[in-house]
Amino acid sequence: MADFESICGYHAHVYFMTSEQEQTAQWIRSQIAERYPDVRIGRWHERPVGPHSQPMYQLAFSVADMPSVLPWLMCNQRGLSILIHPETRDAYREHAEYAAWLGTPLPLNLGALPRTTS
């Protein structure tokens, strides 16, 4: 069992497949950049990477920003699938056990993630 006080930040993975979804993902990306200058916006991945089964990009944000970034994403996901998970230094559990989904959950290749034994 993880100690929630060990959470050092959060990641949101914004997924897209169609050109319409890609436009929506670009809109979310630009809005986040404008509204939340402290959010780190990751590279745009045109293909599945790591455990992710669809193209996506990542948003990384602090514990302090979570109470405003999460509701914004909830109200503005516009039909996209978004995976949100804490940063706990255990990548497997972050994606497999501690994750929350906005929209439709997508399959993940959890075998691509290192497992931490504790």
Side-chain angles (χ1 to χ4, degrees), residues 15-44:
Y15 298 95
F16 53 90
M17 280 293 290
T18 67
S19 60
E20 182 179 324
Q21 289 176 336
E22 189 170 349
Q23 289 176 359
T24 301
Q26 288 172 341
W27 178 82
I28 290 171
R29 187 179 176 95
S30 67
Q31 292 297 305
I32 289 289
E34 182 179 316
R35 295 170 186 274
Y36 301 101
D38 292 335
V39 171
R40 294 179 316 278
I41 299 175
R43 289 187 346 193
W44 191 271

mmCIF file of all heavy atoms in Angstrom, residues 15-44:
data_model
loop_
_atom_site.group_PDB
_atom_site.id
_atom_site.type_symbol
_atom_site.label_atom_id
_atom_site.label_comp_id
_atom_site.label_asym_id
_atom_site.label_seq_id
_atom_site.Cartn_x
_atom_site.Cartn_y
_atom_site.Cartn_z
ATOM 1 N N TYR A 15 -5.009 11.296 -24.912
ATOM 2 C CA TYR A 15 -4.954 10.387 -26.053
ATOM 3 C C TYR A 15 -5.778 10.914 -27.220
ATOM 4 O O TYR A 15 -6.803 11.569 -27.029
ATOM 5 C CB TYR A 15 -5.486 9.015 -25.656
ATOM 6 C CG TYR A 15 -4.684 8.356 -24.572
ATOM 7 C CD1 TYR A 15 -5.063 8.475 -23.233
ATOM 8 C CD2 TYR A 15 -3.550 7.614 -24.868
ATOM 9 C CE1 TYR A 15 -4.330 7.869 -22.225
ATOM 10 C CE2 TYR A 15 -2.814 7.006 -23.871
ATOM 11 C CZ TYR A 15 -3.207 7.141 -22.545
ATOM 12 O OH TYR A 15 -2.478 6.548 -21.562
ATOM 13 N N PHE A 16 -5.346 10.552 -28.428
ATOM 14 C CA PHE A 16 -6.066 10.924 -29.644
ATOM 15 C C PHE A 16 -5.780 9.884 -30.718
ATOM 16 O O PHE A 16 -4.733 9.246 -30.711
ATOM 17 C CB PHE A 16 -5.647 12.316 -30.125
ATOM 18 C CG PHE A 16 -4.168 12.483 -30.294
ATOM 19 C CD1 PHE A 16 -3.552 12.206 -31.499
ATOM 20 C CD2 PHE A 16 -3.380 12.896 -29.226
ATOM 21 C CE1 PHE A 16 -2.175 12.343 -31.659
ATOM 22 C CE2 PHE A 16 -1.997 13.035 -29.361
ATOM 23 C CZ PHE A 16 -1.396 12.762 -30.584
ATOM 24 N N MET A 17 -6.731 9.703 -31.640
ATOM 25 C CA MET A 17 -6.535 8.772 -32.764
ATOM 26 C C MET A 17 -6.912 9.441 -34.085
ATOM 27 O O MET A 17 -6.130 9.451 -35.014
ATOM 28 C CB MET A 17 -7.375 7.501 -32.581
ATOM 29 C CG MET A 17 -6.760 6.494 -31.631
ATOM 30 S SD MET A 17 -5.233 5.756 -32.224
ATOM 31 C CE MET A 17 -5.798 4.732 -33.558
ATOM 32 N N THR A 18 -8.113 9.983 -34.149
ATOM 33 C CA THR A 18 -8.605 10.567 -35.398
ATOM 34 C C THR A 18 -8.112 12.009 -35.542
ATOM 35 O O THR A 18 -7.641 12.617 -34.577
ATOM 36 C CB THR A 18 -10.141 10.567 -35.424
ATOM 37 O OG1 THR A 18 -10.616 11.467 -34.412
ATOM 38 C CG2 THR A 18 -10.702 9.173 -35.175
ATOM 39 N N SER A 19 -8.260 12.560 -36.733
ATOM 40 C CA SER A 19 -7.854 13.960 -36.929
ATOM 41 C C SER A 19 -8.715 14.900 -36.082
ATOM 42 O O SER A 19 -8.214 15.906 -35.574
ATOM 43 C CB SER A 19 -7.909 14.344 -38.406
ATOM 44 O OG SER A 19 -9.209 14.194 -38.907
ATOM 45 N N GLU A 20 -9.974 14.571 -35.891
ATOM 46 C CA GLU A 20 -10.841 15.390 -35.031
ATOM 47 C C GLU A 20 -10.358 15.337 -33.581
ATOM 48 O O GLU A 20 -10.280 16.364 -32.901
ATOM 49 C CB GLU A 20 -12.286 14.907 -35.125
ATOM 50 C CG GLU A 20 -13.257 15.740 -34.310
ATOM 51 C CD GLU A 20 -14.686 15.244 -34.433
ATOM 52 O OE1 GLU A 20 -15.080 14.797 -35.529
ATOM 53 O OE2 GLU A 20 -15.402 15.309 -33.423
ATOM 54 N N GLN A 21 -10.011 14.150 -33.107
ATOM 55 C CA GLN A 21 -9.475 14.015 -31.743
ATOM 56 C C GLN A 21 -8.146 14.744 -31.608
ATOM 57 O O GLN A 21 -7.872 15.346 -30.574
ATOM 58 C CB GLN A 21 -9.303 12.542 -31.381
ATOM 59 C CG GLN A 21 -10.594 11.809 -31.164
ATOM 60 C CD GLN A 21 -10.367 10.331 -30.909
ATOM 61 O OE1 GLN A 21 -9.348 9.750 -31.310
ATOM 62 N NE2 GLN A 21 -11.318 9.706 -30.245
ATOM 63 N N GLU A 22 -7.341 14.691 -32.644
ATOM 64 C CA GLU A 22 -6.056 15.385 -32.619
ATOM 65 C C GLU A 22 -6.262 16.894 -32.485
ATOM 66 O O GLU A 22 -5.554 17.556 -31.722
ATOM 67 C CB GLU A 22 -5.260 15.056 -33.875
ATOM 68 C CG GLU A 22 -3.837 15.557 -33.820
ATOM 69 C CD GLU A 22 -2.986 15.025 -34.958
ATOM 70 O OE1 GLU A 22 -3.409 14.109 -35.676
ATOM 71 O OE2 GLU A 22 -1.867 15.552 -35.116
ATOM 72 N N GLN A 23 -7.237 17.435 -33.176
ATOM 73 C CA GLN A 23 -7.551 18.872 -33.051
ATOM 74 C C GLN A 23 -8.015 19.205 -31.644
ATOM 75 O O GLN A 23 -7.621 20.226 -31.079
ATOM 76 C CB GLN A 23 -8.613 19.281 -34.075
ATOM 77 C CG GLN A 23 -8.111 19.294 -35.483
ATOM 78 C CD GLN A 23 -9.221 19.602 -36.493
ATOM 79 O OE1 GLN A 23 -10.378 19.788 -36.138
ATOM 80 N NE2 GLN A 23 -8.838 19.662 -37.752
ATOM 81 N N THR A 24 -8.838 18.330 -31.071
ATOM 82 C CA THR A 24 -9.289 18.538 -29.693
ATOM 83 C C THR A 24 -8.103 18.477 -28.732
ATOM 84 O O THR A 24 -7.984 19.306 -27.828
ATOM 85 C CB THR A 24 -10.353 17.485 -29.318
ATOM 86 O OG1 THR A 24 -11.452 17.598 -30.216
ATOM 87 C CG2 THR A 24 -10.828 17.673 -27.887
ATOM 88 N N ALA A 25 -7.215 17.510 -28.934
ATOM 89 C CA ALA A 25 -6.025 17.387 -28.085
ATOM 90 C C ALA A 25 -5.140 18.625 -28.201
ATOM 91 O O ALA A 25 -4.588 19.103 -27.202
ATOM 92 C CB ALA A 25 -5.241 16.129 -28.456
ATOM 93 N N GLN A 26 -5.021 19.166 -29.406
ATOM 94 C CA GLN A 26 -4.242 20.397 -29.592
ATOM 95 C C GLN A 26 -4.899 21.567 -28.867
ATOM 96 O O GLN A 26 -4.207 22.399 -28.265
ATOM 97 C CB GLN A 26 -4.086 20.708 -31.083
ATOM 98 C CG GLN A 26 -3.155 19.773 -31.796
ATOM 99 C CD GLN A 26 -3.148 19.968 -33.307
ATOM 100 O OE1 GLN A 26 -4.053 20.554 -33.897
ATOM 101 N NE2 GLN A 26 -2.101 19.443 -33.944
ATOM 102 N N TRP A 27 -6.223 21.639 -28.914
ATOM 103 C CA TRP A 27 -6.940 22.701 -28.209
ATOM 104 C C TRP A 27 -6.701 22.601 -26.695
ATOM 105 O O TRP A 27 -6.386 23.596 -26.049
ATOM 106 C CB TRP A 27 -8.446 22.634 -28.518
ATOM 107 C CG TRP A 27 -9.214 23.677 -27.785
ATOM 108 C CD1 TRP A 27 -9.379 24.987 -28.144
ATOM 109 C CD2 TRP A 27 -9.903 23.511 -26.542
ATOM 110 N NE1 TRP A 27 -10.131 25.642 -27.195
ATOM 111 C CE2 TRP A 27 -10.467 24.758 -26.201
ATOM 112 C CE3 TRP A 27 -10.099 22.428 -25.689
ATOM 113 C CZ2 TRP A 27 -11.209 24.956 -25.047
ATOM 114 C CZ3 TRP A 27 -10.838 22.618 -24.537
ATOM 115 C CH2 TRP A 27 -11.378 23.869 -24.218
ATOM 116 N N ILE A 28 -6.827 21.386 -26.142
ATOM 117 C CA ILE A 28 -6.584 21.181 -24.701
ATOM 118 C C ILE A 28 -5.155 21.598 -24.366
ATOM 119 O O ILE A 28 -4.924 22.306 -23.387
ATOM 120 C CB ILE A 28 -6.842 19.713 -24.298
ATOM 121 C CG1 ILE A 28 -8.347 19.415 -24.372
ATOM 122 C CG2 ILE A 28 -6.289 19.417 -22.905
ATOM 123 C CD1 ILE A 28 -8.700 17.951 -24.200
ATOM 124 N N ARG A 29 -4.223 21.194 -25.183
ATOM 125 C CA ARG A 29 -2.809 21.523 -24.966
ATOM 126 C C ARG A 29 -2.596 23.040 -24.924
ATOM 127 O O ARG A 29 -1.919 23.552 -24.030
ATOM 128 C CB ARG A 29 -1.992 20.888 -26.095
ATOM 129 C CG ARG A 29 -0.500 20.968 -25.968
ATOM 130 C CD ARG A 29 0.094 20.243 -27.196
ATOM 131 N NE ARG A 29 1.522 20.340 -27.234
ATOM 132 C CZ ARG A 29 2.362 19.424 -26.751
ATOM 133 N NH1 ARG A 29 1.895 18.331 -26.186
ATOM 134 N NH2 ARG A 29 3.663 19.591 -26.841
ATOM 135 N N SER A 30 -3.173 23.763 -25.869
ATOM 136 C CA SER A 30 -2.984 25.217 -25.910
ATOM 137 C C SER A 30 -3.678 25.899 -24.726
ATOM 138 O O SER A 30 -3.138 26.855 -24.156
ATOM 139 C CB SER A 30 -3.469 25.803 -27.234
ATOM 140 O OG SER A 30 -4.864 25.683 -27.358
ATOM 141 N N GLN A 31 -4.834 25.406 -24.351
ATOM 142 C CA GLN A 31 -5.545 25.988 -23.211
ATOM 143 C C GLN A 31 -4.794 25.755 -21.901
ATOM 144 O O GLN A 31 -4.695 26.653 -21.065
ATOM 145 C CB GLN A 31 -6.968 25.419 -23.122
ATOM 146 C CG GLN A 31 -7.874 25.852 -24.240
ATOM 147 C CD GLN A 31 -8.101 27.351 -24.231
ATOM 148 O OE1 GLN A 31 -8.525 27.923 -23.232
ATOM 149 N NE2 GLN A 31 -7.791 27.994 -25.339
ATOM 150 N N ILE A 32 -4.270 24.551 -21.730
ATOM 151 C CA ILE A 32 -3.485 24.251 -20.521
ATOM 152 C C ILE A 32 -2.254 25.146 -20.467
ATOM 153 O O ILE A 32 -1.931 25.721 -19.424
ATOM 154 C CB ILE A 32 -3.088 22.754 -20.479
ATOM 155 C CG1 ILE A 32 -4.314 21.881 -20.190
ATOM 156 C CG2 ILE A 32 -1.975 22.496 -19.468
ATOM 157 C CD1 ILE A 32 -4.869 21.950 -18.777
ATOM 158 N N ALA A 33 -1.571 25.298 -21.590
ATOM 159 C CA ALA A 33 -0.372 26.152 -21.632
ATOM 160 C C ALA A 33 -0.708 27.587 -21.249
ATOM 161 O O ALA A 33 0.061 28.244 -20.535
ATOM 162 C CB ALA A 33 0.262 26.105 -23.022
ATOM 163 N N GLU A 34 -1.848 28.070 -21.697
ATOM 164 C CA GLU A 34 -2.255 29.444 -21.419
ATOM 165 C C GLU A 34 -2.713 29.620 -19.969
ATOM 166 O O GLU A 34 -2.363 30.595 -19.310
ATOM 167 C CB GLU A 34 -3.396 29.819 -22.369
ATOM 168 C CG GLU A 34 -3.880 31.238 -22.230
ATOM 169 C CD GLU A 34 -4.992 31.535 -23.217
ATOM 170 O OE1 GLU A 34 -4.874 31.141 -24.398
ATOM 171 O OE2 GLU A 34 -5.987 32.157 -22.787
ATOM 172 N N ARG A 35 -3.481 28.671 -19.473
ATOM 173 C CA ARG A 35 -4.089 28.802 -18.142
ATOM 174 C C ARG A 35 -3.171 28.374 -17.002
ATOM 175 O O ARG A 35 -3.318 28.857 -15.884
ATOM 176 C CB ARG A 35 -5.365 27.960 -18.078
ATOM 177 C CG ARG A 35 -6.446 28.443 -18.992
ATOM 178 C CD ARG A 35 -7.589 27.422 -19.069
ATOM 179 N NE ARG A 35 -8.556 27.820 -20.054
ATOM 180 C CZ ARG A 35 -9.565 28.640 -19.819
ATOM 181 N NH1 ARG A 35 -9.727 29.137 -18.615
ATOM 182 N NH2 ARG A 35 -10.405 28.968 -20.781
ATOM 183 N N TYR A 36 -2.297 27.431 -17.272
ATOM 184 C CA TYR A 36 -1.472 26.829 -16.215
ATOM 185 C C TYR A 36 -0.003 26.848 -16.637
ATOM 186 O O TYR A 36 0.539 25.828 -17.073
ATOM 187 C CB TYR A 36 -1.931 25.392 -15.944
ATOM 188 C CG TYR A 36 -3.372 25.308 -15.520
ATOM 189 C CD1 TYR A 36 -4.358 24.925 -16.422
ATOM 190 C CD2 TYR A 36 -3.750 25.632 -14.222
ATOM 191 C CE1 TYR A 36 -5.693 24.859 -16.040
ATOM 192 C CE2 TYR A 36 -5.076 25.566 -13.834
ATOM 193 C CZ TYR A 36 -6.044 25.179 -14.744
ATOM 194 O OH TYR A 36 -7.360 25.114 -14.364
ATOM 195 N N PRO A 37 0.662 27.972 -16.497
ATOM 196 C CA PRO A 37 2.051 28.083 -16.971
ATOM 197 C C PRO A 37 3.029 27.148 -16.260
ATOM 198 O O PRO A 37 4.095 26.860 -16.805
ATOM 199 C CB PRO A 37 2.395 29.551 -16.736
ATOM 200 C CG PRO A 37 1.383 30.055 -15.775
ATOM 201 C CD PRO A 37 0.159 29.214 -15.929
ATOM 202 N N ASP A 38 2.674 26.653 -15.081
ATOM 203 C CA ASP A 38 3.574 25.746 -14.365
ATOM 204 C C ASP A 38 3.428 24.288 -14.797
ATOM 205 O O ASP A 38 4.239 23.442 -14.414
ATOM 206 C CB ASP A 38 3.353 25.855 -12.859
ATOM 207 C CG ASP A 38 3.791 27.197 -12.306
ATOM 208 O OD1 ASP A 38 4.664 27.846 -12.928
ATOM 209 O OD2 ASP A 38 3.259 27.617 -11.263
ATOM 210 N N VAL A 39 2.399 23.971 -15.568
ATOM 211 C CA VAL A 39 2.235 22.605 -16.060
ATOM 212 C C VAL A 39 3.275 22.345 -17.147
ATOM 213 O O VAL A 39 3.448 23.140 -18.063
ATOM 214 C CB VAL A 39 0.803 22.382 -16.609
ATOM 215 C CG1 VAL A 39 0.701 21.035 -17.322
ATOM 216 C CG2 VAL A 39 -0.220 22.465 -15.482
ATOM 217 N N ARG A 40 3.999 21.239 -17.013
ATOM 218 C CA ARG A 40 4.992 20.856 -18.017
ATOM 219 C C ARG A 40 4.286 20.016 -19.081
ATOM 220 O O ARG A 40 3.673 18.992 -18.773
ATOM 221 C CB ARG A 40 6.123 20.063 -17.363
ATOM 222 C CG ARG A 40 6.939 20.911 -16.384
ATOM 223 C CD ARG A 40 8.057 20.135 -15.692
ATOM 224 N NE ARG A 40 7.727 18.814 -15.199
ATOM 225 C CZ ARG A 40 7.117 18.554 -14.034
ATOM 226 N NH1 ARG A 40 6.741 19.535 -13.236
ATOM 227 N NH2 ARG A 40 6.880 17.311 -13.666
ATOM 228 N N ILE A 41 4.383 20.470 -20.309
ATOM 229 C CA ILE A 41 3.711 19.789 -21.410
ATOM 230 C C ILE A 41 4.729 18.939 -22.156
ATOM 231 O O ILE A 41 5.735 19.444 -22.640
ATOM 232 C CB ILE A 41 3.037 20.803 -22.346
ATOM 233 C CG1 ILE A 41 1.987 21.593 -21.549
ATOM 234 C CG2 ILE A 41 2.413 20.099 -23.546
ATOM 235 C CD1 ILE A 41 1.328 22.704 -22.313
ATOM 236 N N GLY A 42 4.443 17.649 -22.217
ATOM 237 C CA GLY A 42 5.366 16.711 -22.838
ATOM 238 C C GLY A 42 5.273 16.684 -24.347
ATOM 239 O O GLY A 42 4.426 17.340 -24.959
ATOM 240 N N ARG A 43 6.158 15.907 -24.934
ATOM 241 C CA ARG A 43 6.220 15.776 -26.396
ATOM 242 C C ARG A 43 4.941 15.170 -26.949
ATOM 243 O O ARG A 43 4.270 14.376 -26.298
ATOM 244 C CB ARG A 43 7.390 14.877 -26.784
ATOM 245 C CG ARG A 43 8.729 15.506 -26.552
ATOM 246 C CD ARG A 43 9.831 14.651 -27.098
ATOM 247 N NE ARG A 43 9.362 13.301 -27.421
ATOM 248 C CZ ARG A 43 10.115 12.283 -27.687
ATOM 249 N NH1 ARG A 43 11.399 12.413 -27.678
ATOM 250 N NH2 ARG A 43 9.614 11.102 -27.963
ATOM 251 N N TRP A 44 4.668 15.521 -28.188
ATOM 252 C CA TRP A 44 3.535 14.992 -28.937
ATOM 253 C C TRP A 44 3.976 13.667 -29.550
ATOM 254 O O TRP A 44 4.894 13.622 -30.357
ATOM 255 C CB TRP A 44 3.177 16.012 -30.020
ATOM 256 C CG TRP A 44 1.902 15.763 -30.715
ATOM 257 C CD1 TRP A 44 1.728 14.999 -31.829
ATOM 258 C CD2 TRP A 44 0.631 16.289 -30.379
ATOM 259 N NE1 TRP A 44 0.413 15.015 -32.213
ATOM 260 C CE2 TRP A 44 -0.292 15.808 -31.328
ATOM 261 C CE3 TRP A 44 0.167 17.127 -29.365
ATOM 262 C CZ2 TRP A 44 -1.634 16.129 -31.301
ATOM 263 C CZ3 TRP A 44 -1.172 17.446 -29.335
ATOM 264 C CH2 TRP A 44 -2.055 16.947 -30.296
#
